[in-house]
Amino acid sequence: MTILLKDLIEEADKKKLAGNHGEAIRICEKILTDDLECVEAYEEIGDNYLSLREFDKAMKALRRAVKIDPTSPNAHYLIGFTHSALSNWNISVDHLETADYLQPNHPEILRCLGWSVFHAGNRKKGVILLERSLALSPDDPLILCDLAVCYLNSKEFDRSISLLQRALYFDPDNEKTKECLKTAMFFKSEYKKIEGEENKKHRKTENRE
C-alpha cells in the first residue's frame, strides 16, 4: 500500500470513529478508483455499512475483501460479526474461528467468537472464550456485558451482576448496561423467591412422611 492510500485509509477510519460513515465510505470508494484490489478499503466500507446496519452492502464489500485476500483476519472477523448480527450463528462461528486462527488471542475476535459459539448452542465453550477475551482486555465494557448476559442466561446471577457493575464503572452512562443490571438483579430476586417456596414445600412433604 502506498503512503497516499495509507493516509486515506486512516482518514476514512477517523471519519468512521466520528460517526461520519457516509464520508468514510466515499473516501474508500475513491481509493478503489485507483486500486481496485485494496482489501483495506473494502473492509472499511463493510465496517461502515455494518454500523449503518446495511448488512447486504456490508457483506458485498467484505466478500470482495476475502476473495482478494483469504488470509485477512479482519475481513473474516467482520463477516463473522455480520452473521452474528443476523443470528446466523454457525456461519458466524466458521468465519470467527478463521479470524482467530489467523490472528490468535485478539480480545475482540474472541469476544465475538464466544458470543456466537454460546448462541450456537455450546454455552460452556462460549463462556470459556469470553473469559479468555476478558483476561486479555479486563477493562473492556463490551466484553464485560457480553459475558454478563451469557451468565445471566445460564442463571449465574451473582457473576452476571458483578460483571455488569464492573462494566458500569468503566462506562457509567451506558443505559443498556444499566437495564441489563436491573434485569439480572430482578431475576436473582425472583429465583430466590421460587427456591424459598420450593424449600417450604419440600419441608412440608418431609414432615408428612
Side-chain angles (χ1 to χ4, degrees):
M1 185 187 294
T2 66
I3 294 174
L4 175 60
L5 288 179
K6 186 179 179 181
D7 288 344
L8 287 171
I9 288 291
E10 289 177 357
E11 180 63 23
D13 192 54
K14 288 177 184 176
K15 296 288 185 184
K16 177 184 69 180
L17 294 174
N20 195 344
H21 301 293
E23 184 61 27
I25 290 167
R26 281 190 288 275
I27 292 171
C28 291
E29 288 174 341
K30 181 181 178 182
I31 292 170
L32 293 173
T33 60
D34 295 322
D35 182 3
L36 200 55
E37 302 291 297
C38 182
V39 173
E40 292 84 358
Y42 288 110
E43 290 173 348
E44 281 292 324
I45 289 171
D47 200 1
N48 279 281
Y49 277 126
L50 264 176
S51 296
L52 295 169
R53 300 190 67 80
E54 296 188 38
F55 299 120
D56 289 342
K57 291 180 180 179
M59 286 301 300
K60 184 178 179 181
L62 295 169
R63 286 192 186 108
R64 179 63 180 162
V66 165
K67 187 175 181 180
I68 296 168
D69 182 8
T71 65
S72 169
N74 192 40
H76 283 288
Y77 157 73
L78 290 169
I79 291 174
F81 188 97
T82 305
H83 281 293
S84 173
L86 295 169
S87 299
N88 298 329
W89 302 116
N90 291 326
I91 301 173
S92 174
V93 169
D94 287 343
H95 282 281
L96 291 168
E97 283 182 338
T98 301
D100 181 51
Y101 172 78
L102 294 167
Q103 190 173 355
N105 298 319
H106 189 291
E108 174 61 12
I109 291 173
L110 286 171
R111 176 183 80 86
C112 292
L113 177 57
W115 181 260
S116 289
V117 166
F118 184 91
H119 286 86
N122 193 337
R123 291 190 166 198
K124 183 177 180 180
K125 183 179 178 182
V127 167
I128 289 170
L129 287 165
L130 280 162
E131 288 283 10
R132 277 182 57 201
S133 175
L134 184 62
L136 291 165
S137 185
D139 300 342
D140 189 322
L142 291 175
I143 300 171
L144 288 163
C145 287
D146 281 0
L147 185 55
V149 170
C150 290
Y151 276 122
L152 178 59
N153 286 329
S154 301
K155 299 182 178 63
E156 295 190 38
F157 303 114
D158 288 337
R159 178 64 172 149
S160 178
I161 289 167
S162 174
L163 289 165
L164 289 166
Q165 288 172 334
R166 192 166 152 198
L168 282 172
Y169 174 80
F170 295 112
D171 187 9
D173 298 323
N174 192 306
E175 293 300 323
K176 187 176 179 181
T177 305
K178 290 177 184 178
E179 287 301 315
C180 284
L181 179 57
K182 286 180 184 177
T183 300
M185 295 178 76
F186 170 78
F187 277 110
K188 179 183 178 181
S189 174
E190 290 300 302
Y191 269 87
K192 273 190 175 180
K193 290 177 186 177
I194 292 169
E195 285 177 354
E197 290 173 2
E198 287 179 349
N199 288 336
K200 284 181 183 178
K201 288 179 183 178
H202 183 67
R203 285 195 295 271
K204 285 180 181 178
T205 302
E206 285 181 339
N207 290 335
R208 288 195 193 106
E209 292 174 353

